[in-house]
Amino acid sequence: MAPTLATAFSRRWWMAVTAVIENLLFSAVLLGWGSLLIMLKSEGFYSYLCSGPGNSSSLNLSLMVSGSRASNSSVVEEYLEMKGWPICKDQDEMLNLAFTVGSFLLSAITLPLGIVMDKYGPRKLRLLGSACFAFSCLLIAYGASDPTNLSVLIFFALALNGFGGMCMTFTSLTLPNMFGDLRSTFIALMIGSYASSAVTFPGIKVIYDLGATFISILLVWAGCACLVFLNCFFNWPLEPFPGPEDMDFTVKIKFSWLGFDHKITGKQFYRQVTTVGRRLSVGNSMKQQHHQAKDLAAQDASKLCLSTVDLEVKCKAAEKSQSFMKSVFSPIFMLSLITMCVTQLRLIFYMGAMNTILESLTEGDLKTGVYLLSEYTSIFGVLQLLCLVTSPVIGYIMDWRLKDCEDENDKKTKREPGQPRRPDKQIQKITNATRAFIFTNLLLVGFGVTCIIPNLPLQILSFILHTIVRGFIHSAVGGLYAAVYPSSQFGSLTGMQSLISALFALLQQPLFMAIVGPLEGDPLWVNVGLLGLSMLGFCLPFYLLCHSRHLKRLRDERDEDPKIYVQINDGSKSEAFV
């Protein structure tokens, strides 16, 4: 049976810790594609696309080039093997296409997920996601049992893997609502664990290199995904988590004459108390009509009914203050789309083409290049843990000085003459977001510069910058949406942004084909073009800077001549009174 919101609130720390671990092991594991690609080649997926000698032998733990040295590189490529299975560029292109499908679903599926989650809550989606992830592991294991005939299953498996991983990632982003003013920090922590999940496949590759079979590893992994299913079943509530600005999670109600004494939250509070209050108020009015005496309970019930009805009306008015379409076509959301599209294409392309990029820097020595490729792929995987460490930095920037800002009660309280006014919370949130995006885009430009320089050891710096940017950009966008838009629209807006950026990131496949085709393995001009495109990311912080200054100017004008400004229905917009 699903727990209530109050029960879930009491377990919020357990849920947060387990959500971080589950994100690390099951969310966006496809981001560690470089290591998975090597294991899939070692298991013979799509090896039938390559030609090779029928009687060749291979090294037990790594690659080898069979046959004598040949002067023609194309001849050598035909005899390249990995654990007895031939490998070639046709195989790389087919497997990269499967990665494109999986990574696309990893982001594109978030729009319907966001709409469903905003309406029905995270529980059902998380259960579905863990089941799909377990099934994807079983499909890959089944395909590995006969790769010659079942290689096509990798497309379905990676699609289910991306879908299931995003279900778990997306549902965990609602959990920080239970942590109040630290919401942006916890959103960054969840996104950091999501981005760090790229370390999972490199870790599995280490176990695989130590001698464990590929199929047994996947079966154990599927069993662990079943534990995620059970954890969600017993701890996650059916209802969505309301935002901290919507309702306090620990409203304590104790009215013996109402017949209940327990914790209730959010919509349940309004619905239950308003219903009881209306019933009692109807009974009270009937007593008044018959001139009967009023008892204390009826008097208190009448007051309760008035107050809860007022609260319900105010909450509905606040919810209708900004429509979803207005949020979609707002400048902040449109510019965030541009930023995310450019950044996603830059990051996804590098992950998909990383092996090809590294091969172009190994100076043409195939055997040495194979060992270097494996070594650098492992380094890239280990560095993914930086996302978990660095992502909360952006969350901290997004939450900077929010506790020092004035709340709604401070706005209604008259200040003493000469008393300094506390910063406005909305302006402070936008200012924090501006700093976060400027810092993230500077790192993205630095990453683009290191990719252009043809130096193999320098690519370790590229790995670090890639990892930090991937954690920062998602944390910054998530924190911005949580700060600017209503919490009821967070899932839908994040889903729409992810869908559009995923569609744009599909361009990484033709870019990859251009590198292995016309550019003959040289990624220089593609990296130069992507570096120029990355400059568009500065449009969003520039607008946020102008927008925050505009809000400060309006606030100063309201303070200078407060007599001509009033607030209608406690709204956030000030209107002139004539």
Side-chain angles (χ1 to χ4, degrees), residues 68-209:
S68 60
R69 294 180 178 268
S71 58
N72 191 335
S73 61
S74 63
V75 175
V76 175
E77 183 183 2
E78 291 180 358
Y79 294 97
L80 193 63
E81 290 187 359
M82 182 177 288
K83 288 194 173 181
W85 296 97
I87 60 175
C88 59
K89 287 185 177 180
D90 291 338
Q91 181 189 34
D92 285 340
E93 292 175 3
M94 186 62 71
L95 291 175
N96 190 74
L97 181 60
F99 167 71
T100 302
V101 173
S103 61
F104 171 75
L105 285 177
L106 194 64
S107 299
I109 201 66
T110 51
L111 178 58
L113 288 183
I115 296 174
V116 172
M117 189 176 66
D118 285 342
K119 186 173 184 180
Y120 298 106
R123 175 184 170 87
K124 295 179 181 178
L125 285 180
R126 198 168 184 85
L127 292 174
L128 177 63
S130 56
C132 288
F133 191 95
F135 187 59
S136 73
C137 294
L138 296 178
L139 276 182
I140 299 176
Y142 183 55
S145 64
D146 186 11
T148 303
N149 299 314
L150 299 176
S151 292
V152 69
L153 291 181
I154 195 65
F155 280 87
F156 301 98
L158 294 185
L160 287 173
N161 190 286
F163 172 77
M166 184 48 65
C167 282
M168 286 187 278
T169 301
F170 212 59
T171 52
S172 67
L173 294 181
T174 63
L175 193 59
N177 283 344
M178 293 195 293
F179 292 91
D181 290 335
L182 295 175
R183 178 169 59 174
S184 293
T185 300
F186 275 88
I187 287 177
L189 185 62
M190 296 300 168
I191 293 177
S193 61
Y194 150 81
S196 296
S197 61
V199 76
T200 304
F201 274 127
I204 288 178
K205 183 178 177 295
V206 172
I207 300 175
Y208 178 74
D209 291 339

Side-chain angles (χ1 to χ4, degrees), residues 390-542:
T390 58
S391 290
V393 174
I394 284 294
Y396 182 76
I397 294 175
M398 297 292 289
D399 289 333
W400 177 257
R401 295 187 62 189
L402 289 184
K403 292 183 178 180
D404 299 333
C405 298
E406 63 180 5
D407 53 21
E408 294 299 323
N409 294 329
D410 295 331
K411 293 180 180 179
K412 297 175 183 178
T413 304
K414 188 175 181 181
R415 291 180 293 115
E416 297 294 334
Q419 180 182 0
R421 185 168 186 176
R422 298 168 66 186
D424 182 81
K425 180 171 287 189
Q426 185 68 13
I427 297 176
Q428 187 64 41
K429 287 179 179 179
I430 295 175
T431 302
N432 293 344
T434 304
R435 297 167 180 165
F437 279 103
I438 290 176
F439 186 41
T440 303
N441 283 295
L442 287 175
L443 292 177
L444 181 64
V445 171
F447 167 71
V449 172
T450 58
C451 288
I452 292 176
I453 302 174
N455 183 273
L456 187 60
L458 186 63
Q459 296 311 303
I460 296 179
L461 178 58
S462 297
F463 294 166
I464 296 174
L465 292 175
H466 179 279
T467 303
I468 296 175
V469 169
R470 188 156 47 81
F472 276 15
I473 191 65
H474 290 287
S475 302
V477 171
L480 178 64
Y481 289 172
V484 176
Y485 300 111
S487 60
S488 60
Q489 299 176 4
F490 178 82
S492 301
L493 291 174
T494 305
M496 179 170 290
Q497 170 263 118
S498 297
L499 171 61
I500 296 175
S501 60
L503 289 171
F504 191 79
L506 289 177
L507 292 175
Q508 70 96 13
Q509 179 66 15
L511 291 177
F512 177 79
M513 298 294 292
I515 290 179
V516 298
L519 297 178
E520 300 179 350
D522 185 6
L524 175 62
W525 292 110
V526 174
N527 285 327
V528 170
L530 291 175
L531 176 60
L533 200 62
S534 301
M535 298 299 177
L536 294 176
F538 288 98
C539 295
L540 177 59
F542 178 75

Side-chain angles (χ1 to χ4, degrees), residues 219-329:
L219 292 179
V220 172
W221 206 6
C224 294
C226 294
L227 296 179
V228 178
F229 184 94
L230 294 176
N231 181 47
C232 176
F233 183 81
F234 288 110
N235 293 304
W236 286 68
L238 281 171
E239 293 184 79
F241 299 116
E245 69 277 358
D246 297 332
M247 184 64 189
D248 189 2
F249 287 91
T250 55
V251 178
K252 181 71 176 177
I253 307 297
K254 185 174 182 180
F255 295 130
S256 58
W257 50 272
L258 285 179
F260 62 90
D261 179 12
H262 59 279
K263 291 183 180 180
I264 57 176
T265 59
K267 295 180 180 179
Q268 290 180 336
F269 171 74
Y270 294 131
R271 189 182 306 115
Q272 186 169 358
V273 178
T274 303
T275 301
V276 174
R278 283 174 176 170
R279 290 176 180 175
L280 293 177
S281 65
V282 170
N284 185 37
S285 62
M286 293 175 64
K287 290 179 182 180
Q288 288 180 347
Q289 292 176 1
H290 293 84
H291 303 286
Q292 295 180 1
K294 301 178 182 179
D295 56 3
L296 181 60
Q299 292 178 6
D300 291 342
S302 177
K303 295 178 181 179
L304 179 62
C305 176
L306 291 175
S307 61
T308 52
V309 169
D310 290 341
L311 283 173
E312 187 176 20
V313 170
K314 289 181 180 179
C315 286
K316 289 182 178 179
E319 289 178 357
K320 296 179 180 178
S321 60
Q322 182 168 328
S323 65
F324 176 73
M325 294 308 297
K326 183 178 179 181
S327 299
V328 168
F329 290 103

